[in-house]
């Protein structure tokens, strides 16, 4: 097993969030908000989607060296599972579920005649004798079979789990929310299985310019998106929270210094800063080639640095908002009452200010999460984003620029990245919304 | 008084399933002053707004009858109702700060109403605006016409609001707590103005208030509202002589009385707990590029007084006189500029920060607004034990819980309150929690910064009784900051009157309230509405 830098950080993040979850669930007064989250249908369904994305991302974060093959590349568990998707490359573009290439070539027909037409694909739909006639029916057929198999799998697990849950955790089965969540899980798993089953026979989302499966690319991009979203936030949050709250609470010279730092940082075009640091990393890596001997290590390093520099450049907005809110909060009478009680300044910051700016942090983190994924796309466009060899929605969108200008248009790359990105960002948004509502005690009695 | 102007029968207003106004009936006669009195949440404002159709969309209004001058208000279409609002029924709101548009001059705002309702030419409009400003007795109307709301004082803004309301020459003027946000001397002026205008123009005035004493001076008839019902309607004279309904009696009994200070037993003064000498809080005024200090705002300007252990000193003054700044300055929530504060023999102004933090626990503060003085994200138990945590870090959690339970008992709240959030409590209950929080660290002095002014009168009486009881059992001193002289009479042993940062009169409560020396004190006392 090989642990890349971002892998290590992801593991730490997972462990930390498990510990945090454990800690929160032990505290008696967190029981009510937690119950509220678990009772919210939108919240739980979006959490399910998020978990689905996260599981794929985690599978993609366990790297090891291939035991067979000529090159013995570093691959992830996801690559291992999705080997057919990874290996079955076509020559160039092909549409979703198509059995033919998307561009004309000289094709040798059975009677040795050479015609100018669309050649058959090497893998997609290759089991068909006559794709023109049986194609559509076969797709539906296979889809139904795949769905049924997925459903069967789910029901099997559900039945196995049933007796256990029924005895120990009955609340997981009762109530309308539980029903909705189980139904969503059923649909999600069956659909996922159907897609996996189908991709054994077809390119579900077509292929790109070099014949790579777009579905595979989109799945691989989940990890990149999660890494950029979470690691950048992880770097940005402490800076924004500590500086913002301190500037607002202490005012005076502390405020002056912090304001000076972020106005200076803000006045440098962030693209320049990002470009400079990415180029720096590139140069460093080419000077120390022996430490970065494989492609995947290099692109991982670049991803990490991108997160770092994005984090450093993007904390100012949140910082300013937190400063303004803290300025308002520090004049609140409960803060003054705490001062009168002789509570330490640091305790006031943590106990009185921080919980009351949490909603701002949560909202802006979720909004930033989506804008970061988009920022990555923009940066890829001017070649200072993630490494071109890294799969990312940004790279896919960047590639789709030319494809959209092509005639006939190639739309599936853009659509795939859009759908996946949309799914992740929407789920994160809805879930954050539920969390924010649940943790606001003033909203607790107002129904949904 | 046969001429009924506004007749309302069977009015019910509901939000979802909750009826906030429940089947009420009342009349307003032409040219009279009708007062609707009740505590907060009794539905009195909702009643007024429902007549004007100004309630939010989710309100369900139903009425058997609602006529203005014999015309059925219920059958007027929304389009035509604009001609009723402003023209025939006008409304004055409580807060003059937020009910004027800050980017329009007051002249424009008054003229706006007349442009809508009358066909005046430009010069006529200017003339009419000018006359209205004269009518509401704004000094130098020719200059004020072009000023913006922020350039006027609170009382002047309320006068402008009245001018706007009068601009449409209404038959009925609804005044919703028109003086609650104002100082007592200004309140008296505004009420006098309203009364004069009403008599001059023969318009009916519908006054909505929580203050029975205020209403007693101005109203012809009084209706008392309780939880959506009108429980009693009576002429003012009758009402104060022999109120019928138990709720009315309760309200009357809860009124703090100015006479309660008479014959108060004053003990021989013991050693002073708090001795303040030449205390000053200045705010620098900075100007220019280099922010040079050009002058100071003298918020508290050399104040000296003493406070005995177990006694209450009331600090009285109008808004902006520096009484709150003084209170916060004493416990170092606001930095002071000069003077000494001798507390229990120790000079607080010369103490190190760390030592002060410990000493602080002996002086506590209870704030005016029970809504903003508690962290909404903390449980009541956590709020109360915060001081214990800060000062007795060695105390274990079980002992702390016991202390919290005991404190909740002391302020007469159930022990189960500890696991609930502040927003689940009413204003009076919250103020009790704030008192419990202050008591937790066993203070010798509690600074009460208008602790009752945000509360209803019956709740106010309860809180004052609680404070008195705590004083008797624990010998706590109070520095009671307030603008309400009636409350002072109830609780204080001594009174200090503050005006523009200075104490201008100081003495025993009976002497100051019955036999004041200073002119300003006399003026203040005269302005207090009495029954």
């Amino acid at each position: 097993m090989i642990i890349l830098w971002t892998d290590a950080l992801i593991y730490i993040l997972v462990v930390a969030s498990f510990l945090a979850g454990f800690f929160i669930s032990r505290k008696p007064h967190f029981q009510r908000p937690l119950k509220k989250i678990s009772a919210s249908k939108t919240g739980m369904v979006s959490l399910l989607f998020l978990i689905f994305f996260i599981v794929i991302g985690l599978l993609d974060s366990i790297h090891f060296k291939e035991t067979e093959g000529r090159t013995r590349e570093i691959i992830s568990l996801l690559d291992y599972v999705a080997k057919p998707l990874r290996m079955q490359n076509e020559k160039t573009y092909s549409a979703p579920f198509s059995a033919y290439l998307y561009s004309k070539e000289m094709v040798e027909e059975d009677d040795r005649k050479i015609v100018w037409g669309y050649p058959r694909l090497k893998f997609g739909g290759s089991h068909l004798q006559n794709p023109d006639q049986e194609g559509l029916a076969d797709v539906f057929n296979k889809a139904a079979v795949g769905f049924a198999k997925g459903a069967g799998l789910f029901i099997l697990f559900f039945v196995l789990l049933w007796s256990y849950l029924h005895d120990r955790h009955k609340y997981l089965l009762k109530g309308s929310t539980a029903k909705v969540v189980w139904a969503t899980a059923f649909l999600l798993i069956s659909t996922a299985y159907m897609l996996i089953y189908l991709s054994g026979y077809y390119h579900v989302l077509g292929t790109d310019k070099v014949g790579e499966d777009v579905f595979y690319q989109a799945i691989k991009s989940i990890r990149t998106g999660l890494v950029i979203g979470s690691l950048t936030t992880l770097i940005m949050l402490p800076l924004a929270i500590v500086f913002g709250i301190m500037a607002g609470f202490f005012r005076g010279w502390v405020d002056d210094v912090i304001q000076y730092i972020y106005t200076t940082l803000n006045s440098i075009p962030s693209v320049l800063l990002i470009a400079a640091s990415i180029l720096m990393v590139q140069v460093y890596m080419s000077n120390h080639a022996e430490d970065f001997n494989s492609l995947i290590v290099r692109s991982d390093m670049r991803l990490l640095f991108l997160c770092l520099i994005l984090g450093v450049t993007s904390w100012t907005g949140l910082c300013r908002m937190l400063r303004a809110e803290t300025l308002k909060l520090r004049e609140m009478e409960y803060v003054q009452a705490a001062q009168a009680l002789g509570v330490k300044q640091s305790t006031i910051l943590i106990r009185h200010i921080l919980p009351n700016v949490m909603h701002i942090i949560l909202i802006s983190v979720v909004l930033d999460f989506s804008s970061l994924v988009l920022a990555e796309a923009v940066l890829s466009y001017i070649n200072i984003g993630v490494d071109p060899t890294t799969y990312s929605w940004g790279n896919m969108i960047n590639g789709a620029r030319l494809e959209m200008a092509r005639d006939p248009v190639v739309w599936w790359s853009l659509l795939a990245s859009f759908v996946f990105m949309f799914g992740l960002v929407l789920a994160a948004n809805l879930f954050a919304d539920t969390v924010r509502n649940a943790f606001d005690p003033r909203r607790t009695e107002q129904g949904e | 008084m046969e001429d009924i102007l506004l007749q309302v029968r069977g009015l019910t207003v509901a939000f979802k399933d909750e009826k906030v106004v429940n089947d009420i009936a009342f009349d307003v006669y032409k040219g009279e002053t009708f007062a609707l009195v009740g505590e907060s949440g009794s539905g009195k404002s909702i009643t007024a707004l429902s007549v004007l159709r100004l309630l939010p969309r989710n309100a369900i209004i139903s009425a058997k009858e609602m006529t203005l001058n014999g015309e059925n208000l219920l059958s007027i279409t929304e389009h035509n109702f604009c001609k009723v609002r402003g023209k025939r029924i006008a409304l004055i709101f409580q807060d003059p700060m937020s009910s004027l548009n800050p980017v329009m001059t007051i002249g424009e705002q008054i003229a706006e109403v007349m442009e809508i309702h009358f066909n005046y030419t430009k010069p006529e409009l200017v003339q009419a605006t000018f006359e209205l400003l004269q009518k509401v007795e704004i000094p130098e109307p020719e200059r004020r016409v072009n000023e913006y709301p922020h350039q006027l004082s609170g009382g002047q803004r309320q006068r402008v609001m009245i001018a706007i309301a009068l601009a449409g020459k209404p038959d009925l003027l609804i005044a919703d707590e028109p003086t609650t946000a104002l100082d007592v001397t200004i309140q008296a002026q505004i009420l006098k103005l309203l009364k004069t205008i009403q008599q001059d123009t023969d318009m009916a005035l519908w006054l909505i208030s929580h203050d029975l004493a205020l209403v007693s001076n101005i109203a012809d008839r009084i209706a008392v509202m309780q939880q959506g019902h009108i429980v009693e309607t009576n002429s003012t004279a009758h009402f104060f002589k022999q109120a019928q309904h138990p709720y009315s009696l309760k309200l009357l009994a809860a009124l703090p009385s100015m006479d309660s200070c008479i014959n108060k037993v004053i003990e021989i003064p013991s050693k002073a707990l708090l001795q303040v000498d030449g205390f000053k809080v200045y705010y620098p005024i900075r100007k220019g590029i280099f922010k040079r200090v050009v002058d100071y705002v003298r918020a508290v300007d050399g104040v000296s007084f003493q406070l005995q252990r177990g006694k209450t000193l009331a600090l009285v003054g109008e808004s902006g006189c520096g009484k709150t700044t003084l209170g916060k300055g004493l416990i170092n929530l606001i930095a002071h500029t000069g003077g000494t504060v001798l507390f229990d023999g120790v000079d607080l102004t010369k103490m190190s920060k760390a030592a002060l933090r410990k000493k602080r626990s002996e002086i506590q503060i209870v704030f005016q607004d029970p809504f903003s003085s508690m962290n909404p994200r903390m449980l009541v138990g956590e709020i109360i034990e915060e001081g214990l945590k800060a000062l007795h870090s060695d105390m274990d959690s079980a002992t702390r819980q016991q202390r919290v339970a005991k404190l909740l008992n002391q302020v007469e709240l159930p022990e189960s309150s500890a696991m609930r959030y502040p927003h689940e409590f009413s204003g009076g209950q919250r103020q009790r929690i704030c008192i419990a929080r202050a008591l937790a660290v066993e203070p010798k002095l509690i600074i009460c910064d208008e602790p009752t002014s945000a509360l209803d009168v019956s709740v106010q009486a309860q809180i004052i009784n609680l404070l008195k009881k705590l004083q008797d059992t624990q010998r706590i001193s109070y520095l009671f900051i307030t603008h309400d002289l009636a409350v002072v009479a109830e609780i204080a042993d001594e009174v200090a009157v503050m005006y523009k940062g200075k104490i201008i009169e100081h003495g025993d409560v009976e002497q100051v309230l019955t036999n004041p020396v200073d002119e300003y004190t006399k003026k203040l006392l005269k302005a207090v509405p009495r029954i």
Side-chain angles (χ1 to χ4, degrees), chain A residues 380-421:
Chain A
S380 301
Y381 176 73
I382 43 175
N383 228 346
I384 53 169
V386 294
D387 198 81
T389 58
T390 309
Y391 295 104
S392 82
W393 293 315
N395 271 343
M396 284 170 76
I397 292 171
N398 186 26
R401 250 184 330 118
L402 293 173
E403 293 165 7
M404 296 307 282
R406 192 179 175 278
D407 190 48
V409 71
V410 174
W411 45 266
W412 44 88
S413 272
L414 189 71
L415 183 79
S417 54
F418 172 75
V419 167
F420 274 74
M421 211 156 89

Side-chain angles (χ1 to χ4, degrees), chain A residues 32 339 342 351-352 356 441, chain B residues 357 360 375-376 386 421 423:
Chain A
R32 203 154 50 166
Q339 283 172 339
R351 203 182 292 158
H352 293 287
N356 283 298
Chain B
R357 215 164 61 77
R360 242 180 195 172
N375 187 341
E386 180 161 38
Y421 284 101
H423 70 96

Side-chain angles (χ1 to χ4, degrees), chain B residues 491-510:
Chain B
I491 193 165
D493 299 303
E494 287 177 54
V495 184
V497 182
M498 254 185 112
Y499 183 64
K500 289 190 178 163
K502 290 192 169 99
I503 289 184
I504 51 163
E505 181 153 8
H506 185 183
D508 287 348
V509 61
E510 192 178 341

Side-chain angles (χ1 to χ4, degrees), chain A residues 184-197:
Chain A
T184 321
F186 170 75
L187 282 177
L188 202 63
I189 289 178
S190 309
T191 314
Y193 194 88
M194 180 185 85
L195 287 174
I196 294 167
Y197 185 76

Side-chain angles (χ1 to χ4, degrees), chain B residues 37-38 42 224-231 245 247 250:
Chain B
V37 182
S42 60
V224 178
M225 211 165 167
Q226 182 197 18
Q227 290 170 7
H229 298 273
I230 288 184
V231 293
H245 196 270
Y247 182 70
K250 192 183 145 210

